[in-house]
Amino acid sequence: MSSTAGKVIRCRAAVAWEAGKPLVIEEVEVAPPHKVEVRLKILFTSLCQTEVIFWEARVGTNTIVSSHFLAMKLQESIGEGVTDLQPGDHVLPVFTGECKECRHCKSEESNMCELLRINTDRGVMLSDGKTRFYKNGQPIYHFLGTSNFSQYTVVHVGCVSKINPAAPLDKVCVLRCRVSTGLGATLNAAKPKKNSILLFLGFGLLALLLLKGLEFLGLQGSLFFDHDQSACLSAKKFGVNEFMNPKDYDKPVQEVIAEMTDGGADRSLESTGNIDARISAFECVHDGWGVAVLVGVARSKDDAFKTHPMDFLNERTLKGTFFGNYKTRTDLPSVVEKYMNKELELEKFITHHVSLPEINKAFEYMLRREGLRCIIHMEKLENF
């Protein structure tokens, strides 16, 4: 790895030249890391629904190396000021970071780093306001700070978590984004108590991890609401007690839940990003102690959360969670250890594999809601 340190690397990358159009495999140039940056070699990566949303609507006239929230890399070289990582380390890069210096990073109650929190509009590095990607002299911009659809990428050191080198890279790569978000939403945000009535709005990978969080807490008992009837069969396979479709009722979900649970759920977790589901999640929890946790990413920036002020005065709590309240560098290694200790079965969430040239298939699987996670093998250039 040291033979490439300080040099420009040529490699393949999947580039989004236009919103909603298939990604194009290009040969790009990746510059060496600058101060407090690391250059990483990507072996395996994936994508989640949030990235698909941005690919469809937000990628505009700028050319962007499409990146996303799930990736596994080996560190290739480091820039000035990097002291806790060395070339060859196994790491997980994250779309948010931990500078360890701001008030958020020093607080035990927050993972919202002031310097490195998620920024969907910044396509350049913080140190100099420039990109590290080029094609024939033309800049290609970063996305969400990681740009994982390139065989090599450059990331701020605060967005990199050093992990157990014995962890299988093609498995723990799915710990980025939704797996950690789902676990943390239950363990760190909702914190249900024994015998709690749990309500989940929306069914998918996030919801499955919310459910897994209950197992870690030694809890059982859950209700799922979702418009997709096909999700019902999948939900039952994962131990869901009861699955309901809101379309089957002629009254709001919150009224149905109140009748079923003697006043409301103790905890509710919403994983859809739909504004109506978010409002229902809050209004369906029990007054006096009910807590609603919003997990899904909002579908529209114009959405407005509207509820009656008395719902708050009646001691219902509404809270959000970002990345499951996990700090990137401090907490993520412990999530990897849950897998290494056989507490977390990541294999059950991996349903497809594709090579880099087949990357658009991964988008198709996501758009058609086929499977859970598709692993993209970045070094593999032939078909599976």
Side-chain angles (χ1 to χ4, degrees), residues 225-229 244-251 253:
F225 265 80
D226 194 281
H227 289 286
D228 186 358
Q229 193 62 41
M244 292 162 284
N245 188 333
K247 295 180 180 178
D248 294 338
Y249 302 89
D250 57 2
K251 60 179 66 176
V253 170

Side-chain angles (χ1 to χ4, degrees), residues 86-138:
Q86 295 296 324
D89 284 344
H90 288 207
V91 300
L92 286 173
V94 188
F95 59 96
T96 186
E98 180 185 359
C99 72
K100 295 191 175 184
E101 298 295 331
C102 69
R103 290 187 64 190
H104 283 275
C105 288
K106 291 180 178 180
S107 169
E108 295 181 356
E109 301 182 58
S110 174
N111 66 340
M112 302 289 291
C113 176
E114 293 178 15
L115 177 67
L116 300 171
R117 68 175 60 183
I118 186 172
N119 185 322
T120 59
D121 297 320
R122 185 175 62 235
V124 294
M125 301 300 293
L126 287 172
S127 62
D128 61 357
K130 296 180 180 179
T131 180
R132 301 290 176 262
F133 296 103
Y134 292 88
K135 178 176 173 58
N136 299 327
Q138 178 182 1

Side-chain angles (χ1 to χ4, degrees), residues 73-277:
K73 309 169 183 181
L74 292 173
Q75 187 173 340
E76 179 270 338
S77 59
I78 62 176
E80 178 188 350
V82 177
T83 59
D84 56 348
L85 292 172
Q86 295 296 324
D89 284 344
H90 288 207
V91 300
L92 286 173
V94 188
F95 59 96
T96 186
E98 180 185 359
C99 72
K100 295 191 175 184
E101 298 295 331
C102 69
R103 290 187 64 190
H104 283 275
C105 288
K106 291 180 178 180
S107 169
E108 295 181 356
E109 301 182 58
S110 174
N111 66 340
M112 302 289 291
C113 176
E114 293 178 15
L115 177 67
L116 300 171
R117 68 175 60 183
I118 186 172
N119 185 322
T120 59
D121 297 320
R122 185 175 62 235
V124 294
M125 301 300 293
L126 287 172
S127 62
D128 61 357
K130 296 180 180 179
T131 180
R132 301 290 176 262
F133 296 103
Y134 292 88
K135 178 176 173 58
N136 299 327
Q138 178 182 1
I140 300 176
Y141 297 102
H142 301 252
F143 183 57
L144 291 178
T146 55
S147 300
N148 297 334
F149 287 170
S150 172
Q151 292 174 323
Y152 285 86
T153 190
V154 178
V155 181
H156 190 287
V157 68
C159 295
V160 177
S161 177
K162 183 178 178 180
I163 65 168
N164 187 339
L169 307 183
D170 60 337
K171 304 296 190 303
V172 296
C173 64
V174 299
L175 287 175
R176 309 314 324 114
C177 189
R178 293 203 170 193
V179 173
S180 297
T181 297
L183 281 179
T186 304
L187 298 174
N188 304 328
K191 298 180 180 178
K193 299 179 180 179
K194 187 176 181 179
N195 298 322
S196 292
I197 298 175
L198 282 298
L199 171 68
F200 298 83
L201 288 91
F203 186 79
L205 181 61
L206 259 181
L208 291 178
L209 271 301
L210 298 173
L211 191 62
K212 185 64 180 178
L214 293 184
E215 293 183 26
F216 281 119
L217 294 172
L219 301 177
Q220 295 180 341
S222 54
L223 306 172
F224 272 83
F225 265 80
D226 194 281
H227 289 286
D228 186 358
Q229 193 62 41
S230 65
C232 178
L233 295 177
S234 298
K236 291 180 178 178
K237 291 179 182 178
F238 284 88
V240 175
N241 295 67
E242 190 164 355
F243 187 96
M244 292 162 284
N245 188 333
K247 295 180 180 178
D248 294 338
Y249 302 89
D250 57 2
K251 60 179 66 176
V253 170
Q254 44 270 48
E255 294 183 21
V256 176
I257 294 300
E259 293 174 1
M260 294 179 60
T261 59
D262 190 24
D266 300 301
R267 299 288 188 272
S268 70
L269 296 104
E270 174 278 326
S271 60
T272 69
N274 179 279
I275 188 60
D276 293 329

Side-chain angles (χ1 to χ4, degrees), residues 14-33:
V15 181
W17 295 106
E18 189 176 349
K21 299 295 184 180
L23 305 188
V24 180
I25 306 301
E26 304 278 14
E27 183 178 81
V28 300
E29 299 173 354
V30 185

